[in-house]
Coordinates of all heavy atoms in Angstrom, one line a residue:
G30 N 16.7 -7.3 -2.0 CA 16.3 -5.9 -2.1 C 15.3 -5.7 -3.2 O 14.5 -6.6 -3.5
L31 N 15.3 -4.5 -3.8 CA 14.3 -4.2 -4.9 C 15.1 -3.7 -6.1 O 16.2 -3.1 -6.0 CB 13.4 -3.1 -4.4 CG 12.4 -3.5 -3.3 CD1 11.7 -2.2 -2.8 CD2 11.4 -4.5 -3.7
C32 N 14.5 -3.9 -7.3 CA 15.1 -3.2 -8.5 C 14.9 -1.7 -8.4 O 14.1 -1.3 -7.6 CB 14.5 -3.9 -9.8 SG 12.8 -3.3 -10.1
A33 N 15.5 -1.0 -9.3 CA 15.4 0.5 -9.2 C 14.0 0.9 -9.4 O 13.5 1.8 -8.6 CB 16.3 1.1 -10.3
E34 N 13.2 0.3 -10.3 CA 11.9 0.7 -10.5 C 11.0 0.5 -9.3 O 10.2 1.4 -8.9 CB 11.3 -0.1 -11.7 CG 10.1 0.4 -12.3 CD 9.7 -0.6 -13.5 OE1 10.5 -0.8 -14.4 OE2 8.5 -1.1 -13.4
C35 N 11.1 -0.7 -8.7 CA 10.3 -1.0 -7.5 C 10.8 -0.2 -6.3 O 9.9 0.2 -5.5 CB 10.3 -2.5 -7.2 SG 9.5 -3.4 -8.5
G36 N 12.1 0.1 -6.2 CA 12.6 1.0 -5.2 C 11.9 2.4 -5.2 O 11.5 2.9 -4.2
E37 N 11.8 2.8 -6.5 CA 11.2 4.1 -6.7 C 9.7 4.1 -6.3 O 9.2 5.0 -5.6 CB 11.3 4.5 -8.2 CG 10.8 5.9 -8.5 CD 10.6 6.1 -10.0 OE1 10.4 5.1 -10.7 OE2 10.5 7.2 -10.4
L38 N 9.0 3.0 -6.6 CA 7.6 2.9 -6.3 C 7.4 2.8 -4.8 O 6.5 3.5 -4.2 CB 7.0 1.6 -7.0 CG 5.6 1.4 -6.7 CD1 4.7 2.5 -7.2 CD2 5.1 0.0 -7.4
L39 N 8.3 2.1 -4.1 CA 8.2 2.0 -2.6 C 8.4 3.4 -2.0 O 7.6 3.7 -1.1 CB 9.2 1.0 -2.1 CG 9.2 0.8 -0.6 CD1 7.8 0.3 -0.1 CD2 10.3 -0.1 -0.1
A40 N 9.4 4.1 -2.5 CA 9.7 5.4 -1.9 C 8.5 6.3 -2.1 O 8.1 7.1 -1.2 CB 10.9 6.0 -2.5
Y41 N 7.9 6.2 -3.3 CA 6.7 7.0 -3.6 C 5.5 6.6 -2.7 O 4.8 7.5 -2.1 CB 6.3 6.8 -5.1 CG 5.2 7.7 -5.5 CD1 5.3 9.0 -5.8 CD2 3.9 7.2 -5.6 CE1 4.3 9.8 -6.1 CE2 2.8 7.9 -5.9 CZ 3.0 9.3 -6.2 OH 1.9 10.1 -6.6
A42 N 5.3 5.3 -2.5 CA 4.2 4.9 -1.7 C 4.4 5.3 -0.2 O 3.4 5.8 0.4 CB 4.1 3.3 -1.7
H43 N 5.6 5.3 0.3 CA 5.9 5.7 1.6 C 5.6 7.2 1.8 O 5.1 7.7 2.8 CB 7.3 5.3 2.0 CG 7.4 3.9 2.5 ND1 8.6 3.3 2.8 CD2 6.5 2.9 2.6 CE1 8.4 2.0 3.2 NE2 7.1 1.8 3.0
E44 N 6.0 7.9 0.7 CA 5.9 9.4 0.8 C 4.4 9.7 0.8 O 3.9 10.6 1.5 CB 6.5 10.0 -0.4 CG 6.5 11.5 -0.5 CD 6.2 12.0 -1.9 OE1 7.0 11.8 -2.8 OE2 5.1 12.6 -2.0
R45 N 3.6 9.0 0.0 CA 2.1 9.3 0.0 C 1.5 9.0 1.4 O 0.7 9.7 1.9 CB 1.4 8.4 -1.1 CG 1.7 8.6 -2.5 CD 2.0 10.0 -2.9 NE 1.0 11.0 -2.6 CZ 1.1 12.3 -2.6 NH1 2.3 12.8 -2.9 NH2 0.1 13.1 -2.4
L46 N 2.0 7.9 2.0 CA 1.5 7.5 3.3 C 1.8 8.6 4.3 O 0.9 8.9 5.1 CB 2.1 6.2 3.8 CG 1.5 4.9 3.2 CD1 2.3 3.7 3.6 CD2 0.0 4.8 3.6
E47 N 3.0 9.1 4.3 CA 3.4 10.1 5.2 C 2.5 11.4 5.1 O 2.2 12.0 6.0 CB 4.8 10.5 5.0 CG 5.8 9.9 5.9 CD 7.2 9.9 5.4 OE1 7.6 10.9 4.8 OE2 7.8 8.8 5.5
R48 N 2.1 11.6 3.8 CA 1.3 12.9 3.6 C -0.2 12.6 3.6 O -0.9 13.5 3.2 CB 1.7 13.5 2.3 CG 3.1 13.9 2.3 CD 3.5 14.4 0.9 NE 4.9 14.8 1.0 CZ 5.5 15.6 0.1 NH1 4.8 16.2 -0.8 NH2 6.8 15.8 0.2
C49 N -0.6 11.4 3.9 CA -2.0 11.0 3.8 C -2.8 12.0 4.6 O -2.6 12.1 5.8 CB -2.2 9.6 4.2 SG -3.9 9.1 4.1
R50 N -3.8 12.5 4.0 CA -4.7 13.5 4.7 C -5.5 12.8 5.8 O -6.1 13.5 6.6 CB -5.6 14.1 3.7 CG -6.6 13.1 3.0 CD -7.6 13.8 2.2 NE -7.0 14.5 1.1 CZ -7.6 15.4 0.4 NH1 -8.8 15.8 0.7 NH2 -7.0 16.0 -0.6
F51 N -5.7 11.5 5.7 CA -6.5 10.9 6.7 C -5.8 10.5 8.0 O -6.4 10.1 9.0 CB -7.2 9.6 6.1 CG -8.0 9.9 4.9 CD1 -7.7 9.4 3.7 CD2 -9.2 10.6 5.1 CE1 -8.5 9.6 2.6 CE2 -10.0 10.9 4.0 CZ -9.7 10.4 2.7
G52 N -4.5 10.6 7.9 CA -3.7 10.2 9.1 C -4.0 8.9 9.6 O -4.1 7.9 8.9
A53 N -4.1 8.7 10.9 CA -4.3 7.4 11.6 C -5.7 6.8 11.2 O -5.9 5.6 11.4 CB -4.1 7.5 13.1
D54 N -6.6 7.6 10.7 CA -7.9 7.1 10.4 C -8.0 6.7 8.9 O -9.1 6.5 8.4 CB -9.0 8.2 10.6 CG -9.2 8.5 12.1 OD1 -9.0 7.5 12.9 OD2 -9.6 9.6 12.4
K55 N -6.9 6.6 8.3 CA -7.0 6.4 6.8 C -7.7 5.1 6.5 O -7.6 4.1 7.2 CB -5.6 6.4 6.2 CG -4.7 5.2 6.5 CD -3.3 5.3 5.9 CE -3.2 5.2 4.4 NZ -3.8 3.9 4.0
P56 N -8.3 5.1 5.3 CA -8.8 3.8 4.8 C -7.6 3.1 4.2 O -6.5 3.7 4.1 CB -9.8 4.3 3.6 CG -9.2 5.6 3.2 CD -8.6 6.2 4.4
T57 N -7.7 1.9 3.7 CA -6.6 1.3 2.9 C -6.6 2.1 1.6 O -7.6 2.5 1.1 CB -6.8 -0.2 2.7 OG1 -8.0 -0.4 2.1 CG2 -6.6 -1.0 4.0
C58 N -5.4 2.2 1.0 CA -5.3 2.9 -0.2 C -6.2 2.4 -1.3 O -6.7 3.2 -2.1 CB -3.8 3.0 -0.7 SG -2.8 3.9 0.5
A59 N -6.4 1.1 -1.3 CA -7.2 0.5 -2.4 C -8.7 0.9 -2.2 O -9.4 1.0 -3.2 CB -7.1 -1.1 -2.3
N60 N -9.1 1.3 -1.0 CA -10.5 1.7 -0.8 C -10.6 3.2 -0.7 O -11.7 3.7 -0.3 CB -11.0 1.1 0.5 CG -11.2 -0.4 0.4 OD1 -11.4 -0.9 -0.7 ND2 -11.3 -1.1 1.5
C61 N -9.6 3.9 -1.0 CA -9.6 5.3 -0.7 C -10.4 6.1 -1.7 O -10.3 5.9 -2.9 CB -8.1 5.8 -0.7 SG -8.0 7.6 -0.4
P62 N -11.3 7.0 -1.3 CA -12.1 7.8 -2.2 C -11.2 8.9 -2.9 O -11.7 9.5 -3.8 CB -13.1 8.4 -1.3 CG -12.5 8.5 0.1 CD -11.6 7.3 0.2
V63 N -10.0 9.2 -2.3 CA -9.2 10.3 -2.9 C -8.2 9.8 -3.9 O -8.0 10.4 -5.0 CB -8.5 11.1 -1.7 CG1 -7.6 12.1 -2.3 CG2 -9.5 11.7 -0.8
H64 N -7.5 8.7 -3.6 CA -6.5 8.2 -4.5 C -5.5 9.3 -4.8 O -5.5 9.8 -5.9 CB -7.1 7.6 -5.7 CG -7.7 6.2 -5.5 ND1 -7.0 5.2 -5.0 CD2 -9.0 5.8 -5.6 CE1 -7.8 4.2 -4.9 NE2 -9.0 4.5 -5.2
C65 N -4.6 9.5 -3.9 CA -3.6 10.6 -4.1 C -2.5 10.3 -5.0 O -1.6 11.1 -5.3 CB -3.1 11.1 -2.8 SG -2.1 9.9 -1.9
Y66 N -2.4 9.0 -5.5 CA -1.2 8.6 -6.4 C -1.4 9.3 -7.7 O -2.5 9.4 -8.2 CB -1.2 7.1 -6.6 CG -0.7 6.3 -5.5 CD1 -1.2 6.4 -4.2 CD2 0.3 5.4 -5.7 CE1 -0.7 5.6 -3.1 CE2 0.8 4.6 -4.6 CZ 0.3 4.7 -3.4 OH 0.8 3.9 -2.4
R67 N -0.2 9.7 -8.3 CA -0.3 10.2 -9.7 C -0.6 9.0 -10.6 O -0.2 7.9 -10.3 CB 0.9 11.1 -10.0 CG 2.2 10.3 -10.2 CD 3.3 11.3 -10.7 NE 4.5 10.5 -11.0 CZ 5.6 10.5 -10.2 NH1 5.5 11.2 -9.1 NH2 6.6 9.8 -10.5
P68 N -1.2 9.3 -11.8 CA -1.7 8.2 -12.6 C -0.7 7.1 -12.9 O -1.0 5.9 -12.8 CB -2.2 8.9 -13.9 CG -2.5 10.3 -13.4 CD -1.6 10.6 -12.3
A69 N 0.5 7.4 -13.3 CA 1.5 6.4 -13.6 C 1.8 5.5 -12.4 O 1.9 4.3 -12.6 CB 2.8 7.0 -14.2
M70 N 1.9 6.1 -11.3 CA 2.3 5.3 -10.1 C 1.0 4.5 -9.6 O 1.2 3.4 -9.1 CB 2.7 6.3 -8.9 CG 4.0 6.9 -9.2 SD 5.3 5.6 -9.5 CE 6.8 6.4 -8.9

Side-chain angles (χ1 to χ4, degrees):
L31 293 174
C32 74
E34 195 181 305
C35 292
E37 183 197 20
L38 181 60
L39 178 62
Y41 183 79
H43 279 177
E44 184 224 297
R45 295 327 301 167
L46 282 175
E47 259 158 44
R48 297 178 184 199
C49 179
R50 64 171 64 198
F51 299 116
D54 288 332
K55 76 184 285 303
T57 53
C58 295
N60 288 340
C61 179
V63 173
H64 284 299
C65 65
Y66 283 55
R67 68 172 186 259
M70 289 307 210

